[in-house]
Amino acid sequence: MKLQKLGRALMLPIAVFPAAALLMGIGYALEESGMENLYFMAMILQKTGNVIISQMPMIFAIGVAYELSDDKSGLAACNGLLCFLIITSLLSVSNVSFLEDTLRFRVDEAFGNINNQFIGILSGLLAAFSYRRKHVSTNYLPADFRVLVYTSIFAMLCSIVLYIVWPLIFTLLISIGTMIKDMGPLGAGIYAFLNRLLVLLGLHHMLNSIFWFDVIGINDIGNYWAGTGIRGVTGMYQAGYYPIMMFGVVAMALAMYQCCFITRKKKMKPFFVSSAIASFLTGVTEPLEFSFMFLSPLLYVMHALLTGISVFMAASLQYIAGFSFSAGAIDFVLASSLPMAVKPYMLFVQGGLFFVIYYVLFRLMIKKFDLCTPGRENDQNEPFQEGSIAAEDLNEMAKVIIEGCGGAENIIAIHSCITRLHITLKDQDKFVFKRIRQNGAAGYLKTKEEIQIVYGAHVDAIMDVLKNYQL
């Protein structure tokens, strides 16, 4: 439940990222169109989107601290920012270089990406924890100042731990990269699997630098665009991402939307649509990934595994297309005509296959195991969704209620009262709340005489539809 609480907290900052990714993608497309009169607009769109995407870690720090504070405090949000600034400043390349013998490890590469999502989320958690110490009694410090002191101390202690641990992690990733460098397509698949797993910690940038740039001599992106690599090999650490980001993530968004509780579909639809479009056009997948990686780690591991399989397949079959920003449609158009491209159109065929795989597996697993994804959060204290509900949704809700009560033949009587449905059943053992909860029920109470299902202010509208079934 703690991971699920963090997952819900991430939804506040995540909501702004898909729109930012689209602004960047449109700006990028306008720039590449070659139309000089659109160049100024292209730069505005790119810079506007980039300032949001590039500050994703900082936005996480503020949003997580705010959402996890008990009273949604602005003070907690400010301290999230403070914590993030302290950690990233203390562990900046210039400070670490001053303290370290740079021959021991490559400081620029190890600490060059310390400004990442993991540090942002960690800062938010530390700030929220510090804010909760506000109520610890003391006669010496005002409460707000006490929070500031706690946040600063925790941030400094965290920096010390990361100063010790971060280089060890970087050295380990370099060793892994060197080990799988000569494994061919299998190594590419292993890399892609680890890449998605490390998104959680913000360490995928380190791993990417090993394979995409010239850290250990691979330089996959540079060689692809310069046409200086080996045709059929150069680009294999990139190509298999296209089927995932353009097709798999879109299918994932569709499956999760369709599995939303009925009462939350309307609220979640803009997020899923914008995330899917952003991923397809620009290859920015983090908004959707961060929305469920904490809510349902099992699904995220499956996503990482499928990404590894896709990159392995594309490398094995020599379907090659590189990218400069990420594996979205805009980059695909630009990269598929370069000399190093090999059968790039086949990546669309592979993408169609992965669309089906993602959709079927995600929908099946979410439903079968009742997994928590955006729009399916298990919060018994959350009231019924405000606003109107479409007639078709009410009809579907009525059907689910009847099924959850063991069928129409098991229902003796049913009526509504303020916020609850009161249902008398022939056999209460046939009642399955797990089924009913999926259409927005906030809870239930079972007595010897009846079962009361809590729906909130819309219970009368639900009851009107149930009457049509002549119960």
Side-chain angles (χ1 to χ4, degrees), residues 41-355:
M41 178 59 67
M43 289 299 100
I44 291 178
L45 292 175
Q46 284 186 40
K47 296 299 182 183
T48 301
N50 184 63
V51 75
I52 298 173
I53 294 294
S54 63
Q55 297 304 323
M56 185 183 294
M58 186 183 295
I59 296 172
F60 273 142
I62 296 170
V64 169
Y66 174 82
E67 281 293 298
L68 291 182
S69 60
D70 296 330
D71 52 354
K72 300 295 186 290
S73 168
L75 175 62
C78 290
N79 277 279
L81 174 60
L82 172 65
C83 189
F84 177 80
L85 293 175
I86 291 174
I87 294 175
T88 53
S89 296
L90 289 177
L91 297 179
S92 64
V93 170
S94 58
N95 284 340
V96 177
S97 297
F98 177 76
L99 296 171
E100 277 291 340
D101 174 7
T102 56
L103 295 178
R104 191 166 70 86
F105 61 89
R106 287 169 276 195
V107 175
D108 287 357
E109 293 162 3
F111 286 92
N113 285 309
I114 198 66
N115 182 343
N116 60 60
Q117 292 94 326
F118 170 69
I119 299 300
I121 294 171
L122 180 61
S123 299
L125 290 171
L126 290 175
F129 179 76
S130 301
Y131 183 75
R132 291 178 180 178
R133 310 278 75 75
K134 177 180 180 179
H135 305 295
V136 177
S137 61
T138 176
N139 298 322
Y140 302 104
L141 297 174
D144 291 350
F145 185 71
R146 198 159 59 239
V147 173
L148 172 65
V149 172
Y150 288 145
T151 301
S152 301
I153 292 174
F154 289 145
M156 288 186 287
L157 291 175
C158 181
S159 299
I160 294 172
V161 173
L162 291 173
Y163 172 74
I164 298 170
V165 173
W166 212 253
L168 299 177
I169 296 173
F170 174 74
T171 303
L172 175 62
L173 291 178
I174 290 289
S175 300
I176 292 173
T178 303
M179 180 177 66
I180 68 178
K181 175 184 177 182
D182 299 323
M183 296 174 65
L186 177 61
I190 294 172
Y191 147 69
F193 171 68
L194 295 175
N195 168 276
R196 290 298 90 186
L197 288 184
L198 290 173
V199 168
L200 173 65
L201 300 176
L203 296 174
H204 60 303
H205 295 297
M206 289 186 184
L207 192 65
N208 289 342
S209 67
I210 296 169
F211 295 93
W212 290 353
F213 307 118
D214 198 16
V215 174
I216 59 175
I218 298 177
N219 197 24
D220 206 44
I221 289 180
N223 285 334
Y224 180 87
W225 287 88
T228 55
I230 302 172
R231 195 165 186 269
V233 175
T234 299
M236 72 175 180
Y237 296 105
Q238 306 166 68
Y241 282 104
Y242 279 110
I244 300 299
M245 296 180 175
M246 292 177 62
F247 297 93
V249 172
V250 174
M252 180 200 309
L254 176 61
M256 287 195 285
Y257 167 70
Q258 291 182 342
C259 291
C260 282
F261 295 155
I262 289 175
T263 54
R264 300 180 191 174
K265 273 190 174 182
K266 185 177 180 180
K267 179 180 179 181
M268 295 305 302
K269 184 177 181 179
F271 169 73
F272 284 121
V273 171
S274 59
S275 295
I277 294 174
S279 182
F280 180 82
L281 291 179
T282 69
V284 176
T285 60
E286 282 88 348
L288 191 61
E289 288 171 334
F290 274 96
S291 74
F292 77 94
M293 65 168 58
F294 294 102
L295 290 174
S296 185
L298 176 62
L299 280 181
Y300 191 79
V301 171
M302 185 175 73
H303 167 50
L305 181 60
L306 289 173
T307 302
I309 293 172
S310 177
V311 172
F312 167 72
M313 282 180 60
S316 299
L317 298 170
Q318 293 191 332
Y319 303 153
I320 302 296
F323 49 77
S324 58
F325 173 63
S326 191
I330 296 172
D331 262 296
F332 182 83
V333 171
L334 299 173
S336 59
S337 61
L338 295 179
M340 284 293 162
V342 180
K343 298 180 181 178
Y345 57 88
M346 290 303 296
L347 292 172
F348 272 73
V349 177
Q350 184 176 323
L353 172 64
F354 273 83
F355 182 94

